[in-house]
Every structure is written in C-alpha cells, then in structure tokens.
Amino acid sequence: MLNPTSRFKSVFSTTAAKKTISTLLLASFVAAPTVSAKMTNDNWFPRSDLMLPRQMSTSELNNGFRYVLMPTAKSGFEIRLDTGAAELPVFNGSPETEEELLTIIATLADSMKAEANMAEMDSSSLVIVGDFNVSKVKREILKQFSTSEFIDLDKLAAQVGQTQSLSSNAIEAAQQMDHRAEVVSIAVLSDVDIEDSKKARREKLTRDIARSVLSERLEKAFEHKQLAVTAFDTKEVELFDHKLMTTTTVVMASEQDVEAGFDVLKNTLSALVRSGVTRQEFEAHVAKLRSELTSSKVTNSQQADQIITSIQQHKVYLQPSDELMLFDFHIAHMHDSDVTAALMQVWNEHNGVRISKGATEKQLNGLDLSQLK
C-alpha cells in the first residue's frame, strides 16, 4: 500500500521511471481485497442550498468516474484518488511539476484499468488542487478515464456475492469506546437531519458551541477538584440512518482517579443540560470559534483532503472564506437559547446513553444523568 504522505520528487520522463510508479500504484490496488463494500452513488456532493466554490470544476464521465478540479493561487499540486469503497486505498500524491501531475493521472488510469475488478468506477473521485492549467488537466482526465475499458462492478459484485453493507460497519466503528483504565466517557445516540443544507450547518454550529462550552466547564471543574487530567475530547460523528453519536471523553492522569473523574464528568454535563448555556458563554465561544476559522491557513494538501472528506460524507465542500461567511450569517441570527435547545435535543431523555469507566461499559435506555453510576 502506498504511503499516504509519499511525494513524487522527480519528473517521470523515462520509461523505467514510469514503469516504477506504475508498479507501485498497481501494488497499492493489489493489496486491497478483490471486491469490497461499495458506497452508494450518493457518495458525491449533494443537491443543496449551499454552493460549491465558483472556481471549482466538477464533472462525471460516461463510466461514472468523477473528478474535481480546484485551482488555487497557492503554488504546488495535490492529487487524491478516492475509490468510494471501504478498505480500498486512497491515493495521495504531491507532484512538483504539472508534467509530473499529468504522468500520475495517466498512471492511475492504467492501474485502474489493469485491476478494474478492484476499482468502483461509478463511486470513484479524482481530486486535484493547486496552481495548474485547468483546461490542460481536464483534457488529460478525459483522455485517460473516459473509456469503456473499465468493468461494471455492480454486475461483478452481484455475481461473486461479496458486497456488504457499509452502514453497519460504520456505525460499529463509530460506537467503539475507549476502554483504557484511565479513561471515562459518556456517549449519547440522537437523531439528526444529515442532509447537508444551510439549516443543517446552523444546527451543527449550535452543537459545536455547546461542546466548546462543555469542554471549558470540564476544565474548570477538574481544576477545582484538583484532579489531574491529560486530555479532554468532545466530538460528534454522523452515522447512517439519521443518527448522531456525541461522545465526551476524559483521560485521567491516573487510573486511581477514574471514579472521581467520572463523577465530575457526570455532574458537569448534568448541570449544563439543566441550566443551559449563558449569554456570556455563548459570546465567548462564538468569538473563540470564529478566531479559529480566521487564523487557520489552509494548504493545498489540506484543501484536497477536505474535498475528499466532503465527498465521502456526502457534504457540500465550502472553501474557508465561504465557511466564514456562513458562520457570520448564522451567528447574526443566533442566540444562547438556540445552543441550549441543541443541548436538550442531543441529551433528550429518550436518547440512549453509553457510559465507560476504564474497562467497564454500560448501555442505558433513556437519559437521567443523576442516576449514572
């Protein structure tokens, strides 16, 4: 399998060099299972009231293969190939010249043709970011990938009977809890509208603010109790079937403090759900999140990865400047009561809760934080 951080430092102009990269790419595909789980054809940017960047070029070829070209003013090139199927390799490359970029495009196409039974063409996406000639790169993609040489894997997978559902695998992976002796965590499974839209982004922003407030309250609570903590983590993962897994994890400095640490986590979370977010907390954490948006400088590599993630998660990709404009728009029409309402929706009494203290895990139906032990 290729190293995701590998870089191609030379121009592949000789036959021997081309053969070398072709062998490496082919080996990457061979390392994967013969047939793997296939994402649905919805594994692409969805129809939404959100708009893709104006300079971005996207298209789908006659065989279902898709590409995204994102020209930027930043020098350098990044290329990503996402197969849209579990366990198949994602190719990452950072060519130093446009000639090298075109060579990689051709070599990827050759490798996929050679191992067509391992590459799901109708859910594969090629993403290229950087300061390149859009028309020239587009012509090369059409030349190399717009062909009938690729096998229809829908029929092939049906024949061998080796397709599987990604949904159950993804849910199982997301629900795995950390069972290290010094870790305590509380997770809740709630319903959410996962169709990407301005409304959905607004709802996510309210949850982001709520989690940021919770992290600060936890930090103060553990400091007040003089309990040493090595890490806090509050995150959410969107699952299939409109489910959202929200997990708060605390890593204690010593496993001897697990019981006391869990009490602090439980009591802090319970108090936040009962009392809600204050106006002062809302304003402070809005400023914090906005500062994070404005201070981050996105590289071509990070932008390529973000586009791939958006495709995989069936989200509309927004470039940083558009993210900031949408943030400001939502905040202008948001209050602390909206964040409190989001808290209540996630930690609804009808939602299932899972708690973990070291190696011990318990699953509860219904939410009563005061009864968690």
Side-chain angles (χ1 to χ4, degrees):
M1 183 178 293
L2 283 175
N3 184 338
T5 60
S6 63
R7 298 180 62 88
F8 299 98
K9 296 185 178 298
S10 60
V11 177
F12 301 103
S13 57
T14 68
T15 303
K18 289 183 179 180
K19 183 176 181 181
T20 299
I21 185 176
S22 180
T23 302
L24 286 172
L25 291 171
L26 186 57
S28 175
F29 285 103
V30 171
T34 301
V35 177
S36 188
K38 174 180 179 300
M39 294 290 284
T40 67
N41 287 331
D42 288 336
N43 185 35
W44 188 236
F45 301 124
R47 295 181 182 276
S48 171
D49 54 1
L50 295 166
M51 301 295 291
L52 290 169
R54 189 175 303 174
Q55 73 272 32
M56 176 183 279
S57 176
T58 66
S59 187
E60 180 174 340
L61 305 186
N62 56 352
N63 51 19
F65 186 81
R66 295 167 303 208
Y67 66 83
V68 178
L69 303 181
M70 184 65 179
T72 70
K74 297 183 285 290
S75 61
F77 312 95
E78 294 293 331
I79 181 169
R80 305 287 186 269
L81 175 65
D82 179 55
T83 58
E87 301 179 72
L88 285 179
V90 175
F91 176 79
N92 294 357
S94 303
E96 295 186 343
T97 66
E98 191 166 84
E99 180 183 349
E100 204 173 311
L101 172 64
L102 298 177
T103 299
I104 292 174
I105 292 172
T107 308
L108 283 172
D110 289 342
S111 297
M112 293 185 78
K113 293 170 189 175
E115 296 294 327
N117 62 318
M118 298 180 190
E120 295 281 11
M121 290 306 299
D122 60 357
S123 55
S124 293
S125 301
L126 185 70
V127 173
I128 300 175
V129 176
D131 183 19
F132 55 86
N133 184 312
V134 174
S135 298
K136 189 175 182 180
V137 171
K138 187 181 295 186
R139 285 196 301 270
E140 185 66 17
I141 292 173
L142 292 174
K143 173 185 174 183
Q144 298 295 340
F145 287 96
S146 186
T147 171
S148 60
E149 293 181 49
F150 296 101
I151 298 172
D152 183 347
L153 281 205
D154 285 334
K155 296 178 180 178
L156 179 64
Q159 291 171 1
V160 298
Q162 294 182 357
T163 56
Q164 62 180 15
S165 170
L166 284 179
S167 177
S168 59
N169 292 343
I171 291 177
E172 181 180 352
Q175 290 182 347
Q176 292 296 321
M177 301 187 77
D178 193 332
H179 290 149
R180 286 177 291 167
E182 68 276 19
V183 174
V184 295
S185 63
I186 300 179
V188 61
L189 189 65
S190 57
D191 295 318
V192 66
D193 181 6
I194 61 174
E195 297 300 326
D196 201 15
S197 64
K198 290 179 182 177
K199 178 177 178 291
R201 296 284 179 116
R202 181 185 188 278
E203 292 174 353
K204 184 181 184 305
L205 179 56
T206 60
R207 298 193 302 269
D208 289 344
I209 296 170
R211 291 199 315 279
S212 182
V213 171
L214 175 60
S215 293
E216 183 184 54
R217 287 202 187 186
L218 283 172
E219 187 175 350
K220 291 179 179 178
F222 278 101
E223 184 178 340
H224 177 72
K225 292 291 184 179
Q226 297 184 333
L227 290 172
V229 173
T230 59
F232 295 104
D233 183 28
T234 59
K235 65 179 181 180
E236 66 176 34
V237 179
E238 291 183 5
L239 308 178
F240 293 83
D241 303 322
H242 300 271
K243 293 295 183 182
L244 183 76
M245 175 67 77
T246 304
T247 306
T248 302
T249 303
V250 181
V251 182
M252 308 301 299
S254 170
E255 61 183 274
Q256 309 299 327
D257 294 330
V258 163
E259 287 293 340
F262 182 78
D263 287 340
V264 173
L265 171 58
K266 176 192 69 175
N267 294 335
T268 304
L269 180 55
S270 180
L272 180 59
V273 173
R274 284 197 308 267
S275 64
V277 174
T278 67
R279 182 66 186 176
Q280 292 75 17
E281 286 176 321
F282 172 76
E283 292 175 349
H285 287 272
V286 164
K288 175 187 173 184
L289 293 176
R290 193 181 192 284
S291 176
E292 291 173 357
L293 280 175
T294 55
S295 62
S296 61
K297 303 298 181 183
V298 180
T299 65
N300 285 341
S301 178
Q302 291 170 328
Q303 198 163 14
D305 291 338
Q306 289 168 2
I307 293 171
I308 285 290
T309 300
S310 296
I311 292 172
Q312 292 174 338
Q313 297 180 353
H314 195 47
K315 303 292 184 185
V316 176
Y317 171 74
L318 297 181
Q319 58 189 340
S321 58
D322 293 339
E323 289 272 17
L324 182 59
M325 287 197 316
L326 189 62
F327 179 93
D328 288 341
F329 172 78
H330 287 321
I331 292 302
H333 303 85
M334 188 182 295
H335 304 279
D336 53 289
S337 58
D338 297 315
V339 179
T340 297
L343 267 172
M344 298 303 297
Q345 180 181 4
V346 171
W347 294 96
N348 185 288
E349 62 181 7
H350 300 296
N351 295 336
V353 175
R354 298 173 69 184
I355 64 174
S356 174
K357 291 185 285 184
T360 305
E361 182 177 330
K362 183 186 297 184
Q363 186 161 339
L364 306 175
N365 293 321
L367 175 63
D368 185 352
L369 291 175
S370 64
Q371 298 303 313
L372 296 182
K373 297 181 180 179

